[in-house]
Amino acid sequence: MVAAPRVLVVDDEPNIVDLLRMALRFHGFDVLTAATGRSALQLAVQARPDLMILDVMLPDVDGFEVCRTLRAGGQSVPVVYLTARDAHRDKIAGLTYGGDDYVTKPFAVDELVARVRAVLRRTSPPRPEPAPDPPATTLRFADVELDPDTHVVRRAGEPIELSPTEFTLLRYFLTNPNRVLSRVQILDAVWSYDFAGEPTVVDQYVSYLRRKLGRHGPSLIHTQRGFGYALRLPAAGTGR
């Protein structure tokens, strides 16, 4: 079993630390926290995090100096700065000191999580080539069928024309039935970590897919408010 990526959150504002701890754990990360630059430097050595989210304005040593010290000591842990300082010269300084990305406050949690995943993807060592995939089999849920080889989709026996993105989105839902999928998870799977758009693109494509599937039966893609979407059967007697 692959261990969850470990993220060290360094910020002296408890509300931000609590928000990031909950959000990152929800998305499958192991989370450590620190409130000062000195404690962050100690944890970076002791706990060996996979990534650090680092506030610039800390009460003892500022985040730029923390990053510079890490790099001078041979520590290559990726760093995503989190700060209210959004001047262009501050961003250049942060990246010059060895940072990997720069997010300004206030921030959207989904965007920050997506950036964390993007940095981890860029900085992780390459994985060995996987073994060839076995022949694809038709995916089914309720009366929906998707053939990965022929790209044919049917509902209740009727063919449904989907765009390539809609097809990939439906395939992701079909491989994760009855599971709540967040917008960031869907972005990662369908558009990849490097997608530069907004998470709201997920809402648009879910709407397109619902409309096409809904021509032949009740809705199967349900909104879990505050979390994301799930492919599941309608509640008994509701058709929803």
Side-chain angles (χ1 to χ4, degrees), residues 164-166 168-170 172 185-192 205:
T165 299
E166 292 165 349
T168 304
L169 177 59
L170 178 59
Y172 185 54
Q185 288 174 309
I186 296 171
L187 273 175
D188 291 345
V190 178
W191 284 269
S192 85
Y205 273 88

Side-chain angles (χ1 to χ4, degrees), residues 126-142:
R127 297 179 182 178
E129 287 294 324
D133 292 333
T137 57
T138 299
L139 300 174
R140 294 181 174 87
F141 184 85

Side-chain angles (χ1 to χ4, degrees), residues 9-203:
V9 176
V10 186
D11 201 299
D12 62 334
E13 297 184 55
N15 58 329
I16 290 181
V17 171
D18 289 343
L19 173 66
L20 292 180
R21 182 192 290 116
M22 288 189 297
L24 289 166
R25 284 179 177 171
F26 175 77
H27 290 291
F29 294 94
D30 179 22
V31 183
L32 301 173
T33 65
T36 66
R38 292 189 181 90
S39 59
L41 288 169
Q42 291 174 352
L43 277 172
V45 173
Q46 296 168 1
R48 311 293 294 184
D50 297 295
L51 182 138
M52 184 183 296
I53 297 175
L54 180 59
D55 186 21
V56 172
M57 302 297 289
L58 295 170
D60 54 352
V61 183
D62 74 39
F64 293 157
E65 182 62 21
V66 170
C67 189
R68 190 198 66 77
T69 302
L70 287 170
R71 298 297 183 253
Q75 294 288 327
S76 59
V77 55
V79 171
V80 176
Y81 293 113
L82 183 62
T83 179
R85 292 165 56 172
D86 61 354
H88 183 68
R89 63 178 178 276
D90 291 324
K91 295 181 181 181
I92 295 300
L95 298 176
T96 300
Y97 285 131
D100 298 275
D101 206 344
Y102 198 109
V103 178
T104 56
K105 301 176 183 178
F107 59 90
V109 172
D110 277 356
E111 179 188 358
L112 179 58
V113 172
R115 285 174 179 262
V116 165
R117 286 187 162 140
V119 170
L120 284 172
R121 187 183 185 191
R122 291 199 308 266
T123 57
S124 296
R127 297 179 182 178
E129 287 294 324
D133 292 333
T137 57
T138 299
L139 300 174
R140 294 181 174 87
F141 184 85
D143 56 354
V144 177
E145 298 181 356
L146 179 150
D147 189 320
D149 285 332
T150 63
H151 284 211
V152 171
V153 174
R154 298 179 187 275
R155 182 165 193 193
E158 295 295 325
I160 298 175
E161 293 292 330
L162 298 181
S163 70
T165 299
E166 292 165 349
F167 181 89
T168 304
L169 177 59
L170 178 59
R171 181 172 58 188
Y172 185 54
F173 277 120
L174 288 170
T175 55
N176 294 278
N178 300 305
R179 177 185 172 192
V180 177
L181 303 170
S182 73
R183 289 178 177 83
V184 170
Q185 288 174 309
I186 296 171
L187 273 175
D188 291 345
V190 178
W191 284 269
S192 85
Y193 298 140
D194 295 327
F195 177 72
E198 294 294 328
T200 52
V201 72
V202 173
D203 303 330

